[in-house]
PDB file of all heavy atoms in Angstrom:
ATOM      1  N   GLU A  40       7.608  -6.658   5.801  1.00  0.00           N
ATOM      2  CA  GLU A  40       6.589  -6.192   4.859  1.00  0.00           C
ATOM      3  C   GLU A  40       5.310  -7.005   4.991  1.00  0.00           C
ATOM      4  O   GLU A  40       5.351  -8.230   5.098  1.00  0.00           O
ATOM      5  CB  GLU A  40       7.111  -6.268   3.418  1.00  0.00           C
ATOM      6  CG  GLU A  40       6.164  -5.612   2.431  1.00  0.00           C
ATOM      7  CD  GLU A  40       6.792  -5.272   1.090  1.00  0.00           C
ATOM      8  OE1 GLU A  40       7.931  -5.689   0.827  1.00  0.00           O
ATOM      9  OE2 GLU A  40       6.118  -4.572   0.314  1.00  0.00           O
ATOM     10  N   THR A  42       2.564  -5.920   2.866  1.00  0.00           N
ATOM     11  CA  THR A  42       1.804  -5.462   1.705  1.00  0.00           C
ATOM     12  C   THR A  42       1.175  -6.647   0.983  1.00  0.00           C
ATOM     13  O   THR A  42       1.894  -7.542   0.526  1.00  0.00           O
ATOM     14  CB  THR A  42       2.716  -4.724   0.700  1.00  0.00           C
ATOM     15  OG1 THR A  42       3.469  -3.735   1.383  1.00  0.00           O
ATOM     16  CG2 THR A  42       1.906  -4.099  -0.416  1.00  0.00           C
ATOM     17  N   PRO A  43      -0.152  -6.674   0.850  1.00  0.00           N
ATOM     18  CA  PRO A  43      -0.755  -7.748   0.058  1.00  0.00           C
ATOM     19  C   PRO A  43      -0.541  -7.478  -1.433  1.00  0.00           C
ATOM     20  O   PRO A  43      -0.340  -6.329  -1.841  1.00  0.00           O
ATOM     21  CB  PRO A  43      -2.241  -7.668   0.426  1.00  0.00           C
ATOM     22  CG  PRO A  43      -2.455  -6.279   0.903  1.00  0.00           C
ATOM     23  CD  PRO A  43      -1.150  -5.798   1.460  1.00  0.00           C
ATOM     24  N   SER A  45      -1.348  -6.620  -5.217  1.00  0.00           N
ATOM     25  CA  SER A  45      -2.408  -5.758  -5.737  1.00  0.00           C
ATOM     26  C   SER A  45      -2.294  -5.629  -7.248  1.00  0.00           C
ATOM     27  O   SER A  45      -1.299  -6.035  -7.853  1.00  0.00           O
ATOM     28  CB  SER A  45      -2.362  -4.375  -5.074  1.00  0.00           C
ATOM     29  OG  SER A  45      -1.180  -3.713  -5.409  1.00  0.00           O
ATOM     30  N   ARG A  98       9.815  -7.365  -6.526  1.00  0.00           N
ATOM     31  CA  ARG A  98      10.137  -6.020  -6.037  1.00  0.00           C
ATOM     32  C   ARG A  98      11.593  -5.724  -6.386  1.00  0.00           C
ATOM     33  O   ARG A  98      12.429  -6.633  -6.397  1.00  0.00           O
ATOM     34  CB  ARG A  98       9.984  -5.922  -4.521  1.00  0.00           C
ATOM     35  CG  ARG A  98       8.630  -6.364  -4.002  1.00  0.00           C
ATOM     36  CD  ARG A  98       7.674  -5.228  -3.914  1.00  0.00           C
ATOM     37  NE  ARG A  98       6.478  -5.636  -3.199  1.00  0.00           N
ATOM     38  CZ  ARG A  98       5.276  -5.233  -3.519  1.00  0.00           C
ATOM     39  NH1 ARG A  98       5.098  -4.402  -4.515  1.00  0.00           N
ATOM     40  NH2 ARG A  98       4.232  -5.633  -2.820  1.00  0.00           N
ATOM     41  N   TRP A 109       6.237   6.787   6.051  1.00  0.00           N
ATOM     42  CA  TRP A 109       5.342   7.458   6.988  1.00  0.00           C
ATOM     43  C   TRP A 109       4.681   6.456   7.913  1.00  0.00           C
ATOM     44  O   TRP A 109       4.584   5.272   7.603  1.00  0.00           O
ATOM     45  CB  TRP A 109       4.243   8.218   6.228  1.00  0.00           C
ATOM     46  CG  TRP A 109       4.756   9.295   5.346  1.00  0.00           C
ATOM     47  CD1 TRP A 109       4.967  10.602   5.680  1.00  0.00           C
ATOM     48  CD2 TRP A 109       5.133   9.172   3.973  1.00  0.00           C
ATOM     49  NE1 TRP A 109       5.456  11.291   4.594  1.00  0.00           N
ATOM     50  CE2 TRP A 109       5.574  10.447   3.526  1.00  0.00           C
ATOM     51  CE3 TRP A 109       5.169   8.117   3.064  1.00  0.00           C
ATOM     52  CZ2 TRP A 109       6.011  10.685   2.243  1.00  0.00           C
ATOM     53  CZ3 TRP A 109       5.612   8.351   1.777  1.00  0.00           C
ATOM     54  CH2 TRP A 109       6.036   9.626   1.380  1.00  0.00           C
ATOM     55  N   LEU A 126      -5.335  -2.762   4.616  1.00  0.00           N
ATOM     56  CA  LEU A 126      -4.074  -3.202   4.004  1.00  0.00           C
ATOM     57  C   LEU A 126      -4.237  -3.367   2.495  1.00  0.00           C
ATOM     58  O   LEU A 126      -3.416  -2.878   1.719  1.00  0.00           O
ATOM     59  CB  LEU A 126      -3.581  -4.508   4.629  1.00  0.00           C
ATOM     60  CG  LEU A 126      -2.985  -4.404   6.022  1.00  0.00           C
ATOM     61  CD1 LEU A 126      -2.725  -5.791   6.595  1.00  0.00           C
ATOM     62  CD2 LEU A 126      -1.711  -3.584   6.013  1.00  0.00           C
ATOM     63  N   MET A 128      -6.677  -2.107   0.573  1.00  0.00           N
ATOM     64  CA  MET A 128      -7.010  -0.823  -0.040  1.00  0.00           C
ATOM     65  C   MET A 128      -5.780   0.060  -0.181  1.00  0.00           C
ATOM     66  O   MET A 128      -5.592   0.723  -1.202  1.00  0.00           O
ATOM     67  CB  MET A 128      -8.105  -0.114   0.765  1.00  0.00           C
ATOM     68  CG  MET A 128      -9.475  -0.740   0.581  1.00  0.00           C
ATOM     69  SD  MET A 128     -10.763   0.226   1.391  1.00  0.00           S
ATOM     70  CE  MET A 128     -10.956  -0.712   2.898  1.00  0.00           C
ATOM     71  N   MET A 129      -4.938   0.059   0.842  1.00  0.00           N
ATOM     72  CA  MET A 129      -3.729   0.877   0.794  1.00  0.00           C
ATOM     73  C   MET A 129      -2.771   0.361  -0.281  1.00  0.00           C
ATOM     74  O   MET A 129      -2.173   1.146  -1.023  1.00  0.00           O
ATOM     75  CB  MET A 129      -3.063   0.887   2.161  1.00  0.00           C
ATOM     76  CG  MET A 129      -2.055   1.978   2.323  1.00  0.00           C
ATOM     77  SD  MET A 129      -1.623   2.123   4.070  1.00  0.00           S
ATOM     78  CE  MET A 129      -0.900   3.734   4.030  1.00  0.00           C
ATOM     79  N   ALA A 130      -2.628  -0.952  -0.380  1.00  0.00           N
ATOM     80  CA  ALA A 130      -1.791  -1.542  -1.431  1.00  0.00           C
ATOM     81  C   ALA A 130      -2.341  -1.186  -2.805  1.00  0.00           C
ATOM     82  O   ALA A 130      -1.584  -0.872  -3.734  1.00  0.00           O
ATOM     83  CB  ALA A 130      -1.703  -3.054  -1.262  1.00  0.00           C
ATOM     84  N   ASP A 131      -3.663  -1.211  -2.942  1.00  0.00           N
ATOM     85  CA  ASP A 131      -4.292  -0.860  -4.220  1.00  0.00           C
ATOM     86  C   ASP A 131      -4.086   0.613  -4.586  1.00  0.00           C
ATOM     87  O   ASP A 131      -4.202   0.985  -5.743  1.00  0.00           O
ATOM     88  CB  ASP A 131      -5.785  -1.186  -4.198  1.00  0.00           C
ATOM     89  CG  ASP A 131      -6.061  -2.683  -4.190  1.00  0.00           C
ATOM     90  OD1 ASP A 131      -5.141  -3.476  -4.512  1.00  0.00           O
ATOM     91  OD2 ASP A 131      -7.195  -3.071  -3.838  1.00  0.00           O
ATOM     92  N   CYS A 132      -3.763   1.446  -3.584  1.00  0.00           N
ATOM     93  CA  CYS A 132      -3.452   2.862  -3.828  1.00  0.00           C
ATOM     94  C   CYS A 132      -1.956   3.074  -4.106  1.00  0.00           C
ATOM     95  O   CYS A 132      -1.496   4.204  -4.237  1.00  0.00           O
ATOM     96  CB  CYS A 132      -3.868   3.714  -2.625  1.00  0.00           C
ATOM     97  SG  CYS A 132      -5.653   3.837  -2.401  1.00  0.00           S
ATOM     98  N   GLY A 133      -1.200   1.984  -4.175  1.00  0.00           N
ATOM     99  CA  GLY A 133       0.199   2.065  -4.550  1.00  0.00           C
ATOM    100  C   GLY A 133       1.191   2.187  -3.410  1.00  0.00           C
ATOM    101  O   GLY A 133       2.335   2.586  -3.625  1.00  0.00           O
ATOM    102  N   PHE A 134       0.803   1.801  -2.210  1.00  0.00           N
ATOM    103  CA  PHE A 134       1.696   1.873  -1.063  1.00  0.00           C
ATOM    104  C   PHE A 134       2.260   0.497  -0.735  1.00  0.00           C
ATOM    105  O   PHE A 134       1.587  -0.519  -0.922  1.00  0.00           O
ATOM    106  CB  PHE A 134       0.961   2.408   0.173  1.00  0.00           C
ATOM    107  CG  PHE A 134       0.598   3.852   0.062  1.00  0.00           C
ATOM    108  CD1 PHE A 134      -0.613   4.242  -0.480  1.00  0.00           C
ATOM    109  CD2 PHE A 134       1.487   4.831   0.474  1.00  0.00           C
ATOM    110  CE1 PHE A 134      -0.945   5.582  -0.607  1.00  0.00           C
ATOM    111  CE2 PHE A 134       1.163   6.174   0.362  1.00  0.00           C
ATOM    112  CZ  PHE A 134      -0.054   6.548  -0.182  1.00  0.00           C
ATOM    113  N   ARG A 135       3.476   0.500  -0.220  1.00  0.00           N
ATOM    114  CA  ARG A 135       4.054  -0.691   0.381  1.00  0.00           C
ATOM    115  C   ARG A 135       3.987  -0.490   1.886  1.00  0.00           C
ATOM    116  O   ARG A 135       4.268   0.598   2.381  1.00  0.00           O
ATOM    117  CB  ARG A 135       5.481  -0.897  -0.101  1.00  0.00           C
ATOM    118  CG  ARG A 135       5.437  -1.261  -1.594  1.00  0.00           C
ATOM    119  CD  ARG A 135       6.753  -1.608  -2.192  1.00  0.00           C
ATOM    120  NE  ARG A 135       7.459  -2.655  -1.497  1.00  0.00           N
ATOM    121  CZ  ARG A 135       8.761  -2.880  -1.692  1.00  0.00           C
ATOM    122  NH1 ARG A 135       9.456  -2.130  -2.530  1.00  0.00           N
ATOM    123  NH2 ARG A 135       9.373  -3.850  -1.032  1.00  0.00           N
ATOM    124  N   ILE A 136       3.603  -1.538   2.608  1.00  0.00           N
ATOM    125  CA  ILE A 136       3.289  -1.420   4.023  1.00  0.00           C
ATOM    126  C   ILE A 136       4.147  -2.402   4.824  1.00  0.00           C
ATOM    127  O   ILE A 136       4.311  -3.558   4.418  1.00  0.00           O
ATOM    128  CB  ILE A 136       1.789  -1.706   4.268  1.00  0.00           C
ATOM    129  CG1 ILE A 136       0.930  -0.882   3.308  1.00  0.00           C
ATOM    130  CG2 ILE A 136       1.409  -1.421   5.719  1.00  0.00           C
ATOM    131  CD1 ILE A 136      -0.273  -1.609   2.808  1.00  0.00           C
ATOM    132  N   PHE A 146       4.611   2.974   6.018  1.00  0.00           N
ATOM    133  CA  PHE A 146       4.270   2.788   4.607  1.00  0.00           C
ATOM    134  C   PHE A 146       5.040   3.762   3.738  1.00  0.00           C
ATOM    135  O   PHE A 146       5.468   4.826   4.177  1.00  0.00           O
ATOM    136  CB  PHE A 146       2.763   2.915   4.380  1.00  0.00           C
ATOM    137  CG  PHE A 146       2.129   4.104   5.046  1.00  0.00           C
ATOM    138  CD1 PHE A 146       1.985   5.307   4.377  1.00  0.00           C
ATOM    139  CD2 PHE A 146       1.665   4.013   6.351  1.00  0.00           C
ATOM    140  CE1 PHE A 146       1.406   6.395   4.989  1.00  0.00           C
ATOM    141  CE2 PHE A 146       1.070   5.100   6.975  1.00  0.00           C
ATOM    142  CZ  PHE A 146       0.944   6.299   6.295  1.00  0.00           C
ATOM    143  N   GLY A 147       5.236   3.354   2.499  1.00  0.00           N
ATOM    144  CA  GLY A 147       5.991   4.173   1.570  1.00  0.00           C
ATOM    145  C   GLY A 147       5.516   3.991   0.145  1.00  0.00           C
ATOM    146  O   GLY A 147       4.705   3.110  -0.157  1.00  0.00           O
ATOM    147  N   ILE A 148       6.046   4.827  -0.713  1.00  0.00           N
ATOM    148  CA  ILE A 148       5.682   4.838  -2.131  1.00  0.00           C
ATOM    149  C   ILE A 148       6.878   4.365  -2.937  1.00  0.00           C
ATOM    150  O   ILE A 148       7.980   4.875  -2.780  1.00  0.00           O
ATOM    151  CB  ILE A 148       5.246   6.252  -2.560  1.00  0.00           C
ATOM    152  CG1 ILE A 148       3.989   6.665  -1.786  1.00  0.00           C
ATOM    153  CG2 ILE A 148       5.029   6.313  -4.067  1.00  0.00           C
ATOM    154  CD1 ILE A 148       3.591   8.116  -1.955  1.00  0.00           C
ATOM    155  N   ASP A 149       6.650   3.386  -3.790  1.00  0.00           N
ATOM    156  CA  ASP A 149       7.708   2.852  -4.637  1.00  0.00           C
ATOM    157  C   ASP A 149       7.609   3.513  -6.013  1.00  0.00           C
ATOM    158  O   ASP A 149       7.203   2.898  -6.995  1.00  0.00           O
ATOM    159  CB  ASP A 149       7.562   1.333  -4.754  1.00  0.00           C
ATOM    160  CG  ASP A 149       8.875   0.640  -5.005  1.00  0.00           C
ATOM    161  OD1 ASP A 149       9.911   1.322  -5.017  1.00  0.00           O
ATOM    162  OD2 ASP A 149       8.869  -0.590  -5.176  1.00  0.00           O
ATOM    163  N   PHE A 155       2.312  12.644  -6.424  1.00  0.00           N
ATOM    164  CA  PHE A 155       1.916  11.661  -5.418  1.00  0.00           C
ATOM    165  C   PHE A 155       0.496  11.898  -4.917  1.00  0.00           C
ATOM    166  O   PHE A 155      -0.187  10.945  -4.542  1.00  0.00           O
ATOM    167  CB  PHE A 155       2.871  11.693  -4.224  1.00  0.00           C
ATOM    168  CG  PHE A 155       4.203  11.024  -4.457  1.00  0.00           C
ATOM    169  CD1 PHE A 155       4.583  10.525  -5.695  1.00  0.00           C
ATOM    170  CD2 PHE A 155       5.090  10.899  -3.414  1.00  0.00           C
ATOM    171  CE1 PHE A 155       5.804   9.909  -5.893  1.00  0.00           C
ATOM    172  CE2 PHE A 155       6.327  10.287  -3.588  1.00  0.00           C
ATOM    173  CZ  PHE A 155       6.675   9.794  -4.831  1.00  0.00           C
ATOM    174  N   HIS A 159      -1.569   8.696  -5.302  1.00  0.00           N
ATOM    175  CA  HIS A 159      -1.546   7.900  -4.068  1.00  0.00           C
ATOM    176  C   HIS A 159      -2.371   8.496  -2.928  1.00  0.00           C
ATOM    177  O   HIS A 159      -3.220   7.823  -2.363  1.00  0.00           O
ATOM    178  CB  HIS A 159      -0.099   7.717  -3.582  1.00  0.00           C
ATOM    179  CG  HIS A 159       0.788   7.062  -4.583  1.00  0.00           C
ATOM    180  ND1 HIS A 159       0.720   5.725  -4.904  1.00  0.00           N
ATOM    181  CD2 HIS A 159       1.787   7.565  -5.361  1.00  0.00           C
ATOM    182  CE1 HIS A 159       1.621   5.423  -5.814  1.00  0.00           C
ATOM    183  NE2 HIS A 159       2.281   6.529  -6.115  1.00  0.00           N
ATOM    184  N   TRP A 160      -2.069   9.758  -2.562  1.00  0.00           N
ATOM    185  CA  TRP A 160      -2.675  10.312  -1.343  1.00  0.00           C
ATOM    186  C   TRP A 160      -4.171  10.550  -1.475  1.00  0.00           C
ATOM    187  O   TRP A 160      -4.932  10.208  -0.555  1.00  0.00           O
ATOM    188  CB  TRP A 160      -1.970  11.600  -0.924  1.00  0.00           C
ATOM    189  CG  TRP A 160      -0.536  11.401  -0.543  1.00  0.00           C
ATOM    190  CD1 TRP A 160       0.554  11.990  -1.124  1.00  0.00           C
ATOM    191  CD2 TRP A 160      -0.008  10.582   0.500  1.00  0.00           C
ATOM    192  NE1 TRP A 160       1.714  11.582  -0.508  1.00  0.00           N
ATOM    193  CE2 TRP A 160       1.397  10.706   0.501  1.00  0.00           C
ATOM    194  CE3 TRP A 160      -0.594   9.744   1.446  1.00  0.00           C
ATOM    195  CZ2 TRP A 160       2.218  10.041   1.394  1.00  0.00           C
ATOM    196  CZ3 TRP A 160       0.232   9.077   2.344  1.00  0.00           C
ATOM    197  CH2 TRP A 160       1.616   9.223   2.308  1.00  0.00           C
ATOM    198  N   LEU A 163      -5.949   7.278  -1.435  1.00  0.00           N
ATOM    199  CA  LEU A 163      -5.946   6.734  -0.078  1.00  0.00           C
ATOM    200  C   LEU A 163      -6.949   7.467   0.811  1.00  0.00           C
ATOM    201  O   LEU A 163      -7.675   6.843   1.591  1.00  0.00           O
ATOM    202  CB  LEU A 163      -4.542   6.810   0.533  1.00  0.00           C
ATOM    203  CG  LEU A 163      -4.407   6.233   1.940  1.00  0.00           C
ATOM    204  CD1 LEU A 163      -4.757   4.743   1.963  1.00  0.00           C
ATOM    205  CD2 LEU A 163      -3.002   6.468   2.469  1.00  0.00           C
TER     206      LEU A 163
END
Side-chain angles (χ1 to χ4, degrees):
E40 188 162 9
T42 310
S45 65
R98 306 269 190 217
W109 298 270
L126 286 172
M128 286 186 261
M129 196 167 198
D131 290 344
C132 291
F134 291 90
R135 292 185 54 196
I136 310 142
F146 47 92
I148 297 171
D149 208 4
F155 283 6
H159 302 287
W160 296 121
L163 182 61

